[in-house]
Coordinates of all heavy atoms in Angstrom, one line a residue:
I95 N 26.8 -15.2 145.2 CA 26.6 -15.9 143.9 C 26.2 -15.0 142.7 O 26.1 -15.4 141.6 CB 25.6 -17.0 144.0 CG1 24.2 -16.5 144.3 CG2 26.0 -18.1 145.1 CD1 23.0 -17.5 144.3
F96 N 26.1 -13.7 143.0 CA 25.7 -12.8 142.0 C 26.7 -11.7 141.8 O 27.6 -11.5 142.6 CB 24.4 -12.1 142.4 CG 23.2 -13.0 142.6 CD1 22.8 -13.4 143.9 CD2 22.6 -13.6 141.5 CE1 21.7 -14.2 144.0 CE2 21.5 -14.4 141.7 CZ 21.1 -14.8 142.9
S97 N 26.5 -10.9 140.7 CA 27.3 -9.7 140.4 C 26.4 -8.5 140.6 O 25.2 -8.5 140.1 CB 27.8 -9.7 138.9 OG 28.7 -10.8 138.8
L98 N 26.9 -7.5 141.2 CA 26.2 -6.3 141.4 C 25.9 -5.5 140.1 O 26.9 -5.2 139.4 CB 26.9 -5.4 142.4 CG 26.3 -4.1 142.9 CD1 24.9 -4.3 143.5 CD2 27.2 -3.3 143.8
Q99 N 24.7 -5.2 139.9 CA 24.3 -4.5 138.6 C 23.8 -3.1 138.9 O 23.9 -2.2 138.0 CB 23.1 -5.3 137.9 CG 23.5 -6.7 137.6 CD 24.5 -6.8 136.5 OE1 24.4 -6.2 135.5 NE2 25.6 -7.5 136.8
H100 N 23.2 -2.8 140.0 CA 22.6 -1.5 140.3 C 22.6 -1.4 141.8 O 22.4 -2.3 142.6 CB 21.2 -1.5 139.8 CG 20.4 -0.3 140.2 ND1 20.4 0.9 139.6 CD2 19.5 -0.2 141.3 CE1 19.6 1.7 140.2 NE2 19.1 1.1 141.2
M101 N 23.0 -0.1 142.3 CA 23.0 0.1 143.8 C 22.6 1.5 144.1 O 23.3 2.4 143.6 CB 24.3 -0.2 144.4 CG 24.4 -0.1 145.9 SD 25.9 -0.7 146.7 CE 27.1 0.4 146.0
T102 N 21.5 1.7 144.8 CA 21.1 3.0 145.4 C 20.8 2.7 146.9 O 20.9 1.5 147.3 CB 19.9 3.6 144.7 OG1 18.8 2.7 144.9 CG2 20.1 3.8 143.2
S103 N 20.5 3.7 147.6 CA 20.3 3.5 149.0 C 19.0 2.6 149.2 O 18.9 1.9 150.2 CB 20.1 4.8 149.8 OG 19.0 5.5 149.3
N104 N 18.1 2.7 148.3 CA 16.8 1.9 148.5 C 16.7 0.7 147.6 O 15.7 -0.1 147.7 CB 15.6 2.8 148.2 CG 15.4 3.2 146.8 OD1 16.3 3.4 146.0 ND2 14.1 3.2 146.4
E105 N 17.7 0.4 146.7 CA 17.6 -0.8 145.9 C 19.0 -1.3 145.4 O 19.8 -0.5 145.0 CB 16.7 -0.6 144.6 CG 16.5 -1.9 143.9 CD 15.5 -1.8 142.7 OE1 15.3 -0.7 142.2 OE2 15.0 -2.8 142.3
V106 N 19.1 -2.6 145.5 CA 20.3 -3.3 144.9 C 19.8 -4.3 144.0 O 18.7 -5.0 144.3 CB 21.3 -3.9 145.9 CG1 22.0 -2.9 146.7 CG2 20.6 -4.9 146.8
V107 N 20.4 -4.5 142.8 CA 20.0 -5.5 141.9 C 21.3 -6.3 141.6 O 22.4 -5.7 141.2 CB 19.5 -4.9 140.6 CG1 19.2 -6.0 139.5 CG2 18.2 -4.1 140.8
M108 N 21.2 -7.6 141.8 CA 22.3 -8.5 141.5 C 21.8 -9.4 140.3 O 20.6 -9.6 140.1 CB 22.6 -9.4 142.7 CG 23.5 -8.8 143.7 SD 22.7 -7.5 144.7 CE 21.3 -8.3 145.4
A109 N 22.8 -10.0 139.6 CA 22.4 -10.8 138.4 C 23.5 -11.9 138.2 O 24.6 -11.8 138.7 CB 22.3 -9.9 137.2
D110 N 23.0 -12.9 137.5 CA 23.9 -13.9 137.0 C 23.4 -14.4 135.7 O 22.2 -14.5 135.5 CB 24.1 -15.1 138.0 CG 25.1 -16.1 137.5 OD1 26.3 -15.7 137.5 OD2 24.8 -17.2 137.1
S111 N 24.3 -14.6 134.8 CA 23.9 -15.1 133.5 C 24.8 -16.3 133.1 O 26.0 -16.4 133.4 CB 24.2 -14.0 132.4 OG 23.7 -14.4 131.2
D112 N 24.1 -17.3 132.5 CA 24.8 -18.5 132.0 C 24.2 -18.9 130.7 O 23.4 -18.2 130.2 CB 24.7 -19.6 133.1 CG 25.9 -20.6 133.1 OD1 26.6 -20.7 132.1 OD2 26.1 -21.2 134.1
S113 N 24.7 -20.0 130.2 CA 24.2 -20.4 128.8 C 22.7 -20.7 128.8 O 22.1 -20.7 127.7 CB 25.0 -21.6 128.3 OG 24.9 -22.7 129.2
H114 N 22.1 -21.0 129.9 CA 20.8 -21.5 130.0 C 19.8 -20.5 130.5 O 18.6 -20.6 130.3 CB 20.7 -22.8 130.8 CG 21.1 -22.6 132.2 ND1 22.3 -22.1 132.6 CD2 20.4 -22.9 133.4 CE1 22.4 -22.0 133.9 NE2 21.2 -22.5 134.4
L115 N 20.2 -19.5 131.3 CA 19.3 -18.5 131.8 C 20.0 -17.2 132.3 O 21.2 -17.2 132.5 CB 18.4 -19.1 132.9 CG 19.0 -19.8 134.1 CD1 19.6 -18.9 135.1 CD2 17.9 -20.7 134.7
D116 N 19.1 -16.2 132.5 CA 19.6 -14.9 133.1 C 18.7 -14.7 134.4 O 17.5 -14.8 134.3 CB 19.3 -13.7 132.2 CG 20.2 -13.7 131.0 OD1 21.4 -14.1 131.1 OD2 19.8 -13.3 129.9
V117 N 19.3 -14.4 135.5 CA 18.6 -14.2 136.7 C 18.9 -12.8 137.3 O 20.1 -12.4 137.3 CB 19.1 -15.3 137.8 CG1 18.4 -15.0 139.1 CG2 18.9 -16.7 137.3
H118 N 17.9 -12.1 137.7 CA 18.1 -10.8 138.3 C 17.3 -10.9 139.7 O 16.2 -11.3 139.7 CB 17.5 -9.7 137.5 CG 18.3 -9.4 136.3 ND1 18.2 -10.1 135.1 CD2 19.2 -8.4 136.1 CE1 19.1 -9.6 134.2 NE2 19.7 -8.6 134.8
V119 N 18.0 -10.4 140.7 CA 17.4 -10.4 142.1 C 17.5 -9.0 142.6 O 18.6 -8.4 142.5 CB 18.1 -11.4 143.0 CG1 17.6 -11.3 144.4 CG2 18.0 -12.8 142.5
S120 N 16.5 -8.5 143.1 CA 16.4 -7.1 143.7 C 16.1 -7.2 145.2 O 15.1 -7.9 145.5 CB 15.4 -6.3 142.9 OG 15.0 -5.1 143.7
L121 N 16.7 -6.3 146.0 CA 16.2 -6.0 147.3 C 15.9 -4.5 147.2 O 16.7 -3.7 146.9 CB 17.3 -6.2 148.4 CG 16.8 -6.0 149.8 CD1 17.4 -7.0 150.8 CD2 17.0 -4.6 150.3
F122 N 14.6 -4.3 147.4 CA 14.0 -3.0 147.2 C 13.3 -2.5 148.6 O 12.5 -3.3 149.1 CB 12.9 -3.0 146.1 CG 12.2 -1.7 145.9 CD1 12.9 -0.8 145.1 CD2 11.0 -1.5 146.3 CE1 12.3 0.4 144.8 CE2 10.4 -0.3 146.0 CZ 11.0 0.7 145.3
K123 N 13.8 -1.4 149.0 CA 13.2 -0.8 150.3 C 12.1 0.2 149.9 O 12.3 1.2 149.3 CB 14.3 -0.1 151.0 CG 15.3 -1.0 151.6 CD 16.5 -0.3 152.2 CE 16.2 0.5 153.4 NZ 16.0 -0.2 154.6
S124 N 10.9 -0.2 150.2 CA 9.7 0.6 149.8 C 9.4 1.5 150.9 O 8.9 1.1 152.0 CB 8.5 -0.4 149.6 OG 7.4 0.3 149.2
S125 N 9.6 2.8 150.7 CA 9.4 3.8 151.7 C 8.0 4.0 152.1 O 7.7 4.1 153.3 CB 10.0 5.2 151.2 OG 11.4 5.0 150.9
P126 N 7.0 4.1 151.2 CA 5.7 4.5 151.7 C 5.1 3.5 152.7 O 4.4 3.8 153.6 CB 4.8 4.4 150.4 CG 5.8 4.5 149.3 CD 7.1 3.9 149.8
D127 N 5.5 2.2 152.6 CA 4.9 1.2 153.5 C 6.0 0.5 154.4 O 5.7 -0.5 155.0 CB 4.1 0.2 152.7 CG 4.8 -0.4 151.6 OD1 6.0 -0.1 151.4 OD2 4.2 -1.2 150.8
D128 N 7.2 1.1 154.4 CA 8.3 0.6 155.2 C 8.4 -0.9 155.2 O 8.3 -1.6 156.2 CB 8.1 1.0 156.7 CG 8.4 2.5 156.8 OD1 9.3 3.0 156.1 OD2 7.7 3.2 157.6
R129 N 8.7 -1.4 154.0 CA 8.9 -2.9 153.8 C 10.1 -3.1 152.9 O 10.5 -2.2 152.2 CB 7.7 -3.6 153.3 CG 7.2 -3.3 152.0 CD 5.9 -4.0 151.6 NE 5.6 -3.8 150.2 CZ 4.7 -4.4 149.6 NH1 4.0 -5.3 150.2 NH2 4.4 -4.2 148.3
V130 N 10.6 -4.3 153.0 CA 11.8 -4.8 152.2 C 11.2 -5.8 151.3 O 10.5 -6.8 151.8 CB 12.9 -5.4 153.1 CG1 14.0 -6.0 152.2 CG2 13.5 -4.3 154.0
V131 N 11.4 -5.7 150.0 CA 10.9 -6.7 149.0 C 12.1 -7.3 148.3 O 12.9 -6.5 147.7 CB 9.9 -6.0 148.0 CG1 9.4 -7.0 147.0 CG2 8.8 -5.2 148.7
V132 N 12.1 -8.6 148.3 CA 13.1 -9.3 147.5 C 12.4 -9.9 146.3 O 11.4 -10.7 146.4 CB 13.9 -10.4 148.2 CG1 14.7 -11.2 147.3 CG2 14.7 -9.8 149.4
S133 N 12.8 -9.5 145.1 CA 12.1 -9.9 143.8 C 13.2 -10.7 143.0 O 14.3 -10.3 143.0 CB 11.7 -8.7 143.0 OG 10.8 -7.9 143.8
T134 N 12.7 -11.7 142.3 CA 13.5 -12.5 141.4 C 12.8 -12.5 140.0 O 11.6 -12.8 139.9 CB 13.7 -13.9 141.9 OG1 14.2 -13.8 143.3 CG2 14.7 -14.7 141.0
V135 N 13.6 -12.3 139.0 CA 13.1 -12.4 137.6 C 14.1 -13.3 136.8 O 15.3 -13.0 136.8 CB 13.0 -11.0 136.9 CG1 12.5 -11.1 135.5 CG2 12.0 -10.1 137.8
V136 N 13.5 -14.3 136.1 CA 14.4 -15.2 135.4 C 13.9 -15.3 133.9 O 12.7 -15.4 133.7 CB 14.3 -16.6 136.0 CG1 15.1 -17.6 135.2 CG2 14.7 -16.6 137.5
H137 N 14.8 -15.2 133.0 CA 14.6 -15.4 131.6 C 15.4 -16.6 131.2 O 16.6 -16.7 131.4 CB 15.1 -14.2 130.8 CG 14.2 -13.0 130.9 ND1 14.4 -12.0 131.9 CD2 13.0 -12.7 130.3 CE1 13.4 -11.1 131.8 NE2 12.6 -11.5 130.8
V138 N 14.7 -17.6 130.6 CA 15.4 -18.8 130.2 C 15.8 -18.6 128.7 O 15.2 -17.9 128.0 CB 14.5 -20.1 130.3 CG1 14.2 -20.4 131.8 CG2 13.3 -20.0 129.5
K139 N 16.9 -19.2 128.4 CA 17.5 -19.1 127.0 C 17.2 -20.3 126.1 O 17.4 -20.2 124.9 CB 19.0 -18.8 127.1 CG 19.3 -17.5 127.8 CD 20.8 -17.4 127.9 CE 21.2 -16.1 128.6 NZ 22.7 -15.9 128.7
N140 N 16.9 -21.4 126.7 CA 16.8 -22.6 125.9 C 16.1 -23.7 126.7 O 15.7 -23.5 127.8 CB 18.2 -23.1 125.5 CG 19.2 -23.2 126.7 OD1 18.8 -23.6 127.7 ND2 20.4 -22.9 126.4
W141 N 16.0 -24.9 126.1 CA 15.3 -26.0 126.8 C 15.9 -26.4 128.1 O 15.3 -26.8 129.0 CB 15.1 -27.2 125.8 CG 16.5 -27.8 125.5 CD1 17.3 -27.5 124.5 CD2 17.1 -28.9 126.3 NE1 18.4 -28.3 124.5 CE2 18.3 -29.1 125.6 CE3 16.8 -29.6 127.4 CZ2 19.2 -30.1 126.1 CZ3 17.7 -30.5 127.9 CH2 18.9 -30.8 127.2
F142 N 17.3 -26.3 128.1 CA 18.0 -26.7 129.3 C 17.6 -25.7 130.5 O 17.5 -26.1 131.6 CB 19.5 -26.7 129.1 CG 20.2 -27.3 130.3 CD1 20.1 -28.6 130.7 CD2 21.0 -26.4 131.1 CE1 20.7 -29.1 131.8 CE2 21.7 -26.9 132.2 CZ 21.5 -28.2 132.6
G143 N 17.4 -24.5 130.2 CA 17.0 -23.5 131.2 C 15.6 -23.8 131.8 O 15.4 -23.8 133.0
R144 N 14.7 -24.3 130.9 CA 13.4 -24.7 131.4 C 13.5 -25.9 132.2 O 12.9 -26.1 133.3 CB 12.4 -24.9 130.2 CG 12.0 -23.6 129.5 CD 10.9 -23.8 128.5 NE 11.5 -24.2 127.2 CZ 12.2 -23.4 126.4 NH1 12.4 -22.2 126.7 NH2 12.6 -23.9 125.2
L145 N 14.3 -26.9 131.8 CA 14.5 -28.1 132.6 C 15.2 -27.8 133.9 O 14.8 -28.3 135.0 CB 15.4 -29.1 131.8 CG 15.8 -30.4 132.4 CD1 14.5 -31.2 132.5 CD2 16.8 -31.2 131.5
Y146 N 16.2 -26.9 133.9 CA 16.8 -26.5 135.1 C 15.9 -25.9 136.1 O 15.9 -26.1 137.3 CB 17.9 -25.4 134.7 CG 18.7 -24.9 135.9 CD1 19.8 -25.5 136.4 CD2 18.3 -23.7 136.5 CE1 20.6 -24.9 137.4 CE2 19.0 -23.1 137.5 CZ 20.1 -23.8 138.0 OH 20.9 -23.2 139.1
M147 N 14.9 -25.1 135.6 CA 14.0 -24.4 136.5 C 12.9 -25.3 137.1 O 12.3 -25.0 138.1 CB 13.2 -23.3 135.8 CG 14.1 -22.1 135.5 SD 14.8 -21.3 137.0 CE 13.3 -20.6 137.7
L148 N 12.7 -26.5 136.6 CA 11.8 -27.5 137.2 C 12.1 -27.7 138.7 O 11.1 -27.6 139.5 CB 11.7 -28.8 136.4 CG 11.0 -28.7 135.0 CD1 11.1 -30.0 134.3 CD2 9.6 -28.3 135.2
P149 N 13.3 -28.1 139.1 CA 13.5 -28.3 140.5 C 13.8 -27.0 141.2 O 13.6 -26.9 142.4 CB 14.7 -29.3 140.5 CG 15.5 -29.0 139.3 CD 14.4 -28.7 138.3

Side-chain angles (χ1 to χ4, degrees):
I95 65 173
F96 298 106
S97 294
L98 181 60
Q99 301 295 304
H100 170 85
M101 182 171 67
T102 63
S103 62
N104 73 322
E105 185 174 24
V106 290
V107 177
M108 279 72 56
D110 186 66
S111 184
D112 209 335
S113 60
H114 63 305
L115 50 79
D116 291 323
V117 178
H118 288 82
V119 177
S120 162
L121 184 143
F122 181 79
K123 293 172 63 77
S124 178
S125 301
D127 51 5
D128 288 325
R129 65 184 188 168
V130 173
V131 181
V132 173
S133 305
T134 307
V135 179
V136 178
H137 287 92
V138 297
K139 297 178 178 178
N140 52 37
W141 67 269
F142 187 68
R144 287 186 279 289
L145 182 65
Y146 178 87
M147 287 302 293
L148 287 175

